[in-house]
């Protein structure tokens, strides 16, 4: 239940309680007041009747005069004056007080006998009547209820407006916290509203600024780590290429010469030595293949010579030769020249990892690679970025799967550059791997010092 609804309900309950208490007090007060007025009216009416019947002694038509007298008393409040001769149901004697006023307690009817010339011509019955007073009480309650409804409507309107204006900063605060939860730290709340809410908004702004600064520092640190790793890989690749490669080539050449010399001798020892030398040459060939494979992992072959776009085309061409039953398409609608080395290598590795997973794990027969420039609105990230999407028609991700080392490494690498990598199962079948890599500053010469083939 929202705060606005709670406050409105509390206000409504308070107003209803106030009106209920007012009506209850009015009803409680009306009982004794009505009894007191009835008793007073009964006493006054009895006195009035006694004084009014005295002139009947000299009336020529006492019965008609008595009837006119009773009719003139019909407008009295809180009492009903009637002749006993006109009543169908005469109150029992136990309910009629002939002399004096009604006793305290339940109001009783009063009967006054009218005697003219020693003869009782009729009895005037005075009955307490509180219905008119109660009608006035209920009319008062209705007026209070009507005025109360108008007051409550105005109060609800005013308080709802005040509550809405007072709680408006909370809506902005909720939206800001949702943005922080989603990782968007570019939050700038207006410090308005009540002092407590204004202070919370200021604290949220401070928190967002601190988180934004921390994320920026973490990105710089992570990016530095990635670049340091790339530099280390290039240095290792250079050592393997420039130092280990020539030595392996030299050893293999010497072994080949030595094998030929042993093969020219007819002695059994020379034949055995030639066989051992051939085994050594095979092991050197295996070392050279391992060296080339390690170099390809450390520094993609052709990335320095061909550039990123050419290297991607070469990668897809190589995979197409090895996967003759699969069709791979490449669509590049982004400017890839002049990028820094880390961004180029990251894009290349994302495509390489996506293709490897599609062929090795998904059993795909069709894979599409698409590289686009996207804005911050499309990517949901800060600044423009490259969108790298690898989509296949394979088996798709299983319901419960754990990311392998390669995919985890790519996710960490892309995240370190301020981007994001996602992989999801498509409803129509297959898998889509998508990465957003921020566009860094372009450099004129990328991979200028990277080694070539061994």
């Amino acid at each position: 239940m929202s705060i606005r609804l709670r406050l409105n309900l509390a206000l409504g309950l308070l107003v209803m309680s106030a009106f209920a208490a007012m009506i209850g007090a009015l009803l409680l007060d009306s009982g004794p007041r009505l009894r007191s007025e009835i008793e007073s009216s009964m006493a006054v009416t009895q006195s009035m009747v006694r004084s009014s019947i005295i002139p009947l002694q000299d009336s020529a038509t006492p019965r008609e005069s008595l009837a006119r007298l009773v009719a003139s008393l019909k407008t009295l409040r809180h009492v009903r004056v009637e002749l006993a001769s006109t009543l169908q149901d005469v109150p029992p004697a136990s309910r009629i007080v002939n002399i004096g006023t009604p006793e305290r307690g339940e109001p009783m009817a009063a009967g006054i006998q009218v005697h003219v010339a020693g003869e009782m011509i009729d009895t005037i019955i005075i009955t307490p009547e509180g219905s008119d007073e109660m009608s006035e009480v209920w009319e008062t309650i209705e007026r209070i209820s009507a005025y109360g409804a108008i007051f409550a409507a105005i109060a609800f309107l005013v308080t709802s407006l005040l509550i809405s204006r007072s709680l408006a900063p909370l809506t902005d605060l909720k939206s800001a916290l949702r943005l922080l939860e989603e990782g968007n730290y570019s939050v700038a709340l207006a410090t308005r509203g009540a002092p407590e809410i204004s202070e919370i908004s200021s604290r949220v702004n401070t928190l967002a600024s601190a988180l934004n600064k921390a994320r920026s520092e973490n990105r710089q640190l992570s990016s530095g780590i990635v670049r340091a790793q790339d530099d280390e890989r290039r240095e290792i690749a250079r050592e393997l290429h420039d130092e280990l490669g020539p030595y392996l080539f030299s050893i293999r050449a010497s072994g080949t010469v030595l094998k030929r010399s042993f093969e020219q001798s007819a002695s059994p020892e020379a034949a055995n030595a030639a066989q051992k030398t051939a085994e050594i040459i095979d092991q050197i060939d295996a070392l050279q293949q391992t060296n080339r494979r390690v170099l390809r992992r450390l520094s993609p072959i052709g990335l320095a010579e061909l550039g990123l776009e050419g290297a991607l085309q070469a990668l897809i061409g190589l995979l197409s030769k090895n996967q003759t039953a699969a069709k791979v398409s490449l669509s590049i609608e982004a400017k890839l020249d002049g990028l820094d080395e880390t961004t180029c290598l990251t894009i290349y590795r994302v495509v390489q990892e996506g293709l490897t997973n599609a062929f090795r794990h998904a059993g795909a027969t069709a894979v599409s690679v698409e590289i686009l420039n996207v804005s911050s609105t499309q990517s949901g990230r800060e600044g423009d970025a490259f969108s790298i999407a690898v989509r296949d028609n394979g088996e798709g991700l299983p319901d419960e799967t754990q990311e392998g080392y390669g995919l985890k490494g790519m996710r960490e690498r892309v995240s370190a550059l301020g981007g994001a990598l996602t992989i999801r199962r498509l409803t129509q079948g297959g898998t889509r791997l998508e990465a957003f890599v921020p566009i860094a500053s372009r450099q004129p010469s990328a991979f200028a010092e990277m080694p070539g083939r061994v």
Side-chain angles (χ1 to χ4, degrees), residues 322-328 353-368 390-398 429-431:
N322 296 332
Q323 303 287 338
T324 55
K327 179 181 179 182
V328 184
E353 183 67 24
L355 293 174
T356 300
N357 289 336
F359 291 130
R360 182 181 298 174
H361 304 296
T365 59
V367 184
S368 63
V390 181
R391 176 176 176 178
D392 64 66
N393 65 343
E395 299 176 357
L397 291 173
T431 306

Side-chain angles (χ1 to χ4, degrees), residues 423-441:
I423 181 170
R424 59 188 177 89
R425 186 178 188 175
L426 301 176
T427 55
Q428 63 270 30
T431 306
R432 178 183 176 90
L433 182 146
E434 186 172 16
F436 295 102
V437 178
I439 299 178
S441 59

Side-chain angles (χ1 to χ4, degrees), residues 103-181:
E103 299 179 355
R104 292 279 179 180
E106 185 178 1
M108 302 177 66
I112 301 176
Q113 294 179 351
V114 180
H115 295 267
V116 176
E119 179 186 0
M120 188 188 73
I121 61 175
D122 211 331
T123 301
I124 298 176
I125 304 297
I126 305 173
T127 308
E129 183 66 50
S131 59
D132 52 352
E133 182 67 21
M134 290 306 299
S135 297
E136 292 181 0
V137 171
W138 285 113
E139 288 177 2
T140 303
I141 292 175
E142 290 176 359
R143 286 196 300 269
I144 292 175
S145 300
Y147 295 150
I150 296 173
F151 170 78
I154 296 174
F156 271 116
L157 181 62
V158 174
T159 54
S160 296
L161 180 61
L162 292 177
I163 291 172
S164 298
R165 289 177 62 88
S166 300
L167 298 182
L170 291 182
T171 304
D172 298 337
L173 182 61
K174 181 177 68 173
S175 301
L177 292 176
R178 184 182 296 110
L179 291 176
L180 291 179
E181 183 182 2

Side-chain angles (χ1 to χ4, degrees), residues 20-21 41 50 58 92 136 151 157 165 216 256 259 261 289 315-316 323 349 383 386 404 454:
S41 297
R50 286 192 177 92
D58 301 327
E136 292 181 0
F151 170 78
L157 181 62
R165 289 177 62 88
S216 178
T256 302
K259 176 187 174 185
S261 64
Q289 293 296 327
L315 173 65
I316 291 176
Q323 303 287 338
R349 292 301 190 194
F386 291 109
V454 177

Side-chain angles (χ1 to χ4, degrees), residues 254-311:
S254 299
T256 302
V257 173
L258 185 60
K259 176 187 174 185
R260 289 176 181 172
S261 64
F262 284 140
E263 290 176 346
Q264 292 177 357
S265 175
S267 63
E269 293 80 2
N272 187 33
Q275 182 180 357
K276 296 295 184 182
T277 304
E279 293 176 359
I280 293 174
I281 293 174
D282 292 338
Q283 293 173 358
I284 293 174
D285 289 338
L287 281 176
Q288 286 182 319
Q289 293 296 327
T290 301
N291 191 35
R292 293 190 183 97
R293 187 167 60 252
V294 172
L295 275 174
R296 283 195 297 270
R297 294 298 301 172
L298 292 174
S299 178
I301 302 300
L303 193 54
E305 296 85 354
L306 303 176
L308 178 57
E309 184 173 350

